[in-house]
Structures are given as C-alpha cells and as structure tokens.
Amino acid sequence: MALQLGQVAPDFEADTTEGRIRFHEWLGNSWGVIFSHPKDFTPVCTTELGYTAKLKPEFDRRGVKVIGLSVDTLDRHEGWNADIAETQGTAVNFPMISDPDKAVSNLYGMIHPEADAAVTVRTVFVIDPNKKIRLMLVYPPSTGRNFDEVLRVIDSLQTTDRHKVATPVNWQPGDKAIVLASLSDEDARKQFPQGFTAEKPYLRWVDINQNKA
C-alpha cells in the first residue's frame, strides 16, 4: 500500500556512509528529511547534495536530521562525495544510505512503475519526532528539487504544531497565520489573547509573533 501523510514512516536497517543504522533509532526525537537519488554520479543530484550540505546549519537549527539514499554501493558513494566536494564547494555532511537491493526504495515507494526500474525517482519525505510522515514530494528526474521550499515547509509544520494555526500561501516565518477553521471565535479568543482579525468568518488572521498577554 502506498505511504500516506500521517502514517508512521517505515523503520529499516541499512548501511550508510556513516555506518549501519536503524532508521527510527537514528532519527531519535528529531525531525527528519529522507531524500532519494536516481543513482550516483548524476548531475542534478550532485547539485542537490552540495546545496543540502550547505544548508546543514539551517536544518540543525530546526532540529532536523537529513539522510540521502541511492541504490548504489558505499564505495561509489564515497567517490561521488569527492566529486560533490570538488564541484559544489561543500562536502556531503550527512549520511547517505546504500540501497543496492532496493529494499528501502521499495519500502518507501521510491521506484515508480513508469520510471526506470533500476533507479529511484527524486522523492522527499519530511518526518516528525513521532516518526509520522508530514510531507511527501516527488520530482521528475530532470528537475532539481527546491530545498529552500523544504525548509519553508518544515518551518510551517513546526509553527502550526506549536501554535495550532494554519499558514497561508507563500507563508514565511514572521508572516501572519490563519486561525484554524475548526476553532470557534470564542475558543480563538482564548487561544489568541492578542486578538485576531476576521476578514471573513472562515478567514481569520492572527499575528503569532506578538507577545501573548
């Protein structure tokens, strides 16, 4: 059965460039991003891995662990990492799963029937500390992923979990949020003593950055 949002991310054991791991144990109480690559020494993924490595301080600040996956072997991973450091200016600073038997790739539905059965497609999963899948993105092989958007979604997920709000289109940290439609005005006043603005009965804006009274 296909994985769905809110489902517990499947656990697995695998060899990585930083040793053998059990995924849930490795994740611990952190948020996690697992993302797959068609195979080693591919041009688009070379740029993605380098950029993600540059973003590691941003992921660390949000309490997020990043792990990559390719169906190639560890020795090829090491050779590819050297190319990434050379061409992108940053060495890969997170583990890369070696999945030559495609056990993890198939467990997470990363190999699609319409794609080459020998490779994974560009899939991204964001997983919360309860091990639940909170985001799934699937990109075609020719299109590089937007990891700034992955960070933005993590910011939104962490904000909505913390404040029980929703975030509007193109939301960025610091922007106003939306009061949940399931919350009555009375309950919203209790939840947000700083007040909120009702543009429509179903569209209520709240500044979660204000200090609560």
Side-chain angles (χ1 to χ4, degrees):
M1 188 173 74
L3 297 179
Q4 298 180 342
L5 293 180
Q7 180 179 345
V8 172
D11 197 12
F12 59 84
E13 287 191 42
D15 292 321
T16 81
T17 50
E18 297 183 7
R20 190 163 182 85
I21 66 162
R22 178 176 286 277
F23 181 59
H24 282 191
E25 181 180 294
W26 173 83
L27 194 60
N29 295 320
S30 299
W31 286 74
V33 171
I34 179 171
F35 64 118
S36 61
H37 306 276
K39 57 183 178 179
D40 290 7
F41 301 101
T42 50
V44 175
C45 288
T46 296
T47 65
E48 292 177 333
L49 286 164
Y51 190 72
T52 303
K54 291 175 183 175
L55 287 178
K56 189 174 188 299
E58 293 299 320
F59 284 110
D60 289 345
R61 187 166 64 83
R62 293 161 173 83
V64 180
K65 291 183 176 180
V66 176
I67 190 166
L69 176 146
S70 170
V71 297
D72 279 325
T73 55
L74 287 177
D75 61 323
R76 285 180 62 82
H77 283 3
E78 293 298 340
W80 192 21
N81 287 347
D83 284 0
I84 293 164
E86 177 187 347
T87 62
Q88 306 305 304
T90 305
V92 175
N93 47 22
F94 49 85
M96 284 284 292
I97 297 166
S98 173
D99 190 35
D101 62 359
K102 305 180 185 66
V104 180
S105 303
N106 284 311
L107 185 64
Y108 275 74
M110 294 171 172
I111 297 177
H112 286 225
E114 300 302 318
D116 184 341
V119 302
T120 58
V121 293
R122 289 193 174 88
T123 309
V124 181
F125 293 89
V126 172
I127 299 165
D128 72 16
N130 294 318
K131 313 299 186 293
K132 291 187 177 180
I133 299 170
R134 301 294 296 277
L135 174 75
M136 296 184 292
L137 294 171
V138 181
Y139 284 69
S142 59
T143 302
R145 286 168 281 204
N146 185 333
F147 283 89
D148 292 325
E149 169 65 3
V150 174
L151 279 176
R152 190 192 75 87
V153 173
I154 291 170
D155 284 336
S156 172
L157 290 169
Q158 294 183 344
T159 296
T160 55
D161 282 0
R162 188 180 308 117
H163 296 284
K164 308 304 179 188
V165 293
T167 56
V169 63
N170 297 332
W171 177 89
Q172 296 288 342
D175 292 349
K176 288 185 177 180
I178 295 173
V179 177
L180 294 177
S182 60
L183 210 61
S184 68
D185 283 350
E186 180 180 356
D187 288 338
R189 292 186 191 98
K190 295 176 183 176
Q191 174 106 19
F192 307 109
Q194 72 271 40
F196 58 88
T197 301
E199 188 172 354
K200 294 286 184 182
Y202 59 87
L203 184 57
R204 298 167 296 175
W205 298 93
V206 61
D207 187 352
I208 55 176
N209 305 292
Q210 291 181 1
N211 292 325
K212 294 188 177 182

